[in-house]
Each structure stands twice: as C-alpha cells, then as structure tokens.
Amino acid sequence: DTKLPEGSSATLLHHPIPLSILGPICSAFYGELKPKNIALITGTNGKTSTVNFCKMLWSAAGLESCSVGNLGGVLTDGTLIWDRDPTLSVPETVTLHTMLNMLALRSINHVAFEATSHAIFDYRLHGVAANIGAFTNLTRDHLDFHSTMAEYFRVKMMLFNNILEPGSHAILNADAEWFAPALAICQARNHKIITYGRKGEDVRLVESLPQPLGQKLTLSIFGKSYKCNFNLFGEFQASNALCALSVVIASGVAVEEAVANMEKLSEVEGRLNLVATAPLGGKVIVDYAHSPDAIRAALEACRSFTPGKLTIVFGCNGERDLGKRKDMGEVAQSLADHVIVTDGHPRSEDPATIRRDVLEGALRAREIAGRSDAIAEAISNLASGDTVLIAGLGHENFQSIGGKNLPYSDRETAQKIAAELSNR
C-alpha cells in the first residue's frame, strides 16, 4: 500500500521467487556492456586458488583480468574493485552487476568468480551472462545448510542447469567423486565439455615429478603432449591449476601460450603458504583447509616436502556442520605425526565442546585451547626437516569468539612466535 509521489508511476512485479529475477533485472539495467569472458568456479575445495590462477594465467597472456572470491575482487595489478567480506565470497546481486559493468567500462573482459553453493542457492549469480563454468569437486561441507550431499550437489549443479546458457563451456574434474552425474547434466545441457585431471580426456595430468621448488608436470592436452614447471607443492594445487588452465583455454588463449605460462603461477594467499621458519629450520605452513578432504589434501602436500615429523594445528568452527568434526580429527590423526586440536571460529558455541567433538576422531591428539598457545607449542618443537601445518583460517585476519570478530592472523602469530624463539 505504499503511496507514490503525485504524478509518478511504477510497475509492481509479483514473482514466487523474487531473488531469482533480481540478477536478470540488474543485467537488463546495465545492458550489453559486460566482460566477454565470465567464468564461474564451483566445488567444495579449490575455488579461491582456481580463480586466482585464472587471473594469473590471463595476466601472463597480456589480458587484463579480475578474480572475485574470498580474497575480494582483485585486478591484475593487485588493486581491489571489491573489498574482502568476512561472510561473503560472492557479492550481493546489485553490487555484483555494478562491478561487472565497471569492469567492462575499463575494457576488462576476463573475470573468474567463486560460485559458492550459498550464492547459487540465493540466486546471486543468475543473470551474470557467464560463458564458462567449472566444477572442482564435492566433499563433505556445509551440511548444516544443505542437510544431505545429494541436496548439496543439486545446488552446485544449478550452475550448469540454470545459470549457464546451453552450449556454454563446462570444465569438469574427472577425478572428482561426483564427476559422472555432473558430466551427465552438462551433456544434457549441450555444454562444450572439457574434462581435466589424471582421468581427464581433454586436459590430462600424465605425470607429476617432485622438484625442489614444486613439480614438473607432463600433460596431454587434446591429444598433444606438453611439459611444464609448476612451482607449487601438492597434487591438489596441480589439480586447481589444471582447472584454471582449462578455463583460460576455453576463453580463447592458445594452448601453447597457456601451458608456457603455468610456470608463472605463484602461491595464493592463505593456501599452503610458507610463513615462517623455526630456529632449527622447521617449516611453518598456513592453509585455509577447514573440511576433511581439504585437511587431507593439505597434509599430503606437506608430507611431500617433509622428511621429518609433520604436525598439524587446527580447530573446527562453531555453528556449522557438526558431523565433519570427528571426520577432520580422523583424517588429521591418520596423516600427521602429531596433532594439536585448538579453536577455530567457535562463534557463540562453547569452544571446549567443539574440541571434544574433534577429539572423538583423534584420540591421540593434544588439546590446547588458545590458538596462539597451540601454535607456539607446535613451533617450539620443530626440528630441521619438520613441518607444522596451521589449518583452518588461512588468509583470514580475525577469529570469531563469543559472537565477536576479534583481530587475529595465523600468519602474523606464527611469524611473531618464530621470531621470539630465534631471539632467545
């Protein structure tokens, strides 16, 4: 019953799902001026690394680009077009379309977005005119929101079923557990499919040989063999890089040029970062891993360059999927020599209760409540050849305790502790 000013008029739209038409309305408002290549990357793990790898590969090919996700909206030169948000990896709909228009006005035609299940569920990515979609994997996470893995998968697949137009490029991880049903969906939509991974038919990882600074990869791309240096550790990082490589090729960059630029990829903030060295030479690694599969992948990567003992320090977050807590403890105990269970983001939950849930899966683990105290204990015991993995917060610069976001950084904490130990 809102009254309009005298002499004015407005059209009132009735729709059963209003959010589903907000994106298309924004798109129509800004018109045809949009970046020509928009890639949406979905999956449980690997989204942040993949969108940043896309930006790096495009940049190396001389193409101005932007990555959007956990680290904000970052341009080729590192400046932000969208600030980091502590709760959103994908901007709200109006902000997103305003940003796309700004990018197009600056002739930036290559953009890679993280496509989280929450953003897809909220229809935030509808109407973005994306021409490339990618699926990295699906493992246990967010079941507090989606309830079942089947529902989690259904929402993820809305990217290919509802957001991308038929005939778009679909980049699929052939090594992922949910690859077969994802492939069937993309085939039914007549998408142009590129599969990648060790089982990939189009972009296949033939061999990975460890090197002092990373890996030497042998690839088969559309039937032709290539070799390249990849200066990062861990098979999961190679998988994310192959996803990005596939996206960049789908956007029109020549295969030879894209592969040659693989050696220019560098670490992504908060993803397997070497942040400090202990006084006796042990490595201190920070990673964002906060699900069972991500913990597994990060520990396996650390093991590849750790001749000595491998320690993990991690905690689980409050007000999230309770069922994964024990699973994370089990994975940590099975792959690390020493496990220290501490606090992640307890939020408004009792931190001791969360730690107890994790310890059900890691009966031999040590429990140290304060995150800084736990990190200090781990670093003080590092010998030459050892590694400590600090998992869960990655790039984040806060810790949510008692409903408040308190300033905190794993990177800064580890560096301060390592410096203090060196000065003793």
Side-chain angles (χ1 to χ4, degrees), residues 133-327:
F135 172 61
T136 60
N137 51 62
L138 194 82
T139 61
R140 178 165 188 157
D141 205 2
H142 304 305
L143 294 193
D144 56 304
F145 185 81
H146 296 295
S147 299
T148 66
M149 290 298 291
E151 172 62 9
Y152 187 21
F153 178 73
R154 184 196 69 79
V155 172
K156 288 287 191 186
M157 288 302 104
M158 286 175 64
L159 170 60
F160 302 100
N161 269 324
N162 306 103
I163 298 174
L164 294 175
E165 292 294 327
S168 301
H169 276 99
I171 315 300
L172 305 177
N173 182 1
D175 301 331
E177 182 178 350
W178 292 76
F179 166 70
L183 177 64
I185 287 169
C186 292
Q187 288 172 332
R189 291 280 286 175
N190 293 315
H191 291 320
K192 295 187 285 284
I193 298 167
I194 296 176
T195 64
Y196 71 92
R198 288 194 176 274
K199 299 177 183 177
E201 291 187 4
D202 305 297
V203 178
R204 181 161 57 93
L205 176 59
V206 177
E207 186 179 41
S208 172
L209 294 177
Q211 302 288 309
L213 297 177
Q215 312 167 54
K216 180 177 284 293
L217 306 180
T218 300
L219 308 175
S220 174
I221 303 179
F222 304 126
K224 186 175 178 180
S225 183
Y226 298 87
K227 291 184 183 294
C228 64
N229 290 320
F230 179 57
N231 300 318
L232 297 170
F233 294 98
E235 180 140 339
F236 79 97
Q237 299 217 83
S239 179
N240 295 334
L242 291 189
C243 184
L245 178 67
S246 302
V247 168
V248 168
I249 291 170
S251 75
V253 176
V255 172
E256 289 75 12
E257 182 176 13
V259 173
N261 289 331
M262 286 280 283
E263 68 179 7
K264 298 178 182 178
L265 294 179
S266 58
E267 68 178 21
V268 175
E269 184 184 354
R271 275 68 185 171
L272 220 67
N273 300 156
L274 174 62
V275 299
T277 302
L280 296 179
K283 294 181 174 66
V284 183
I285 306 292
V286 165
D287 190 86
Y288 190 52
H290 57 278
S291 69
D293 187 66
I295 291 285
R296 176 197 57 76
L299 283 170
E300 288 177 348
C302 289
R303 183 65 75 183
S304 71
F305 55 76
T306 304
K309 299 292 186 180
L310 176 58
T311 299
I312 182 171
V313 177
F314 78 103
C316 285
N317 298 333
E319 301 176 10
R320 295 297 185 268
D321 181 6
L322 274 65
K324 73 177 184 179
R325 295 174 182 175
K326 180 180 178 181
D327 293 347

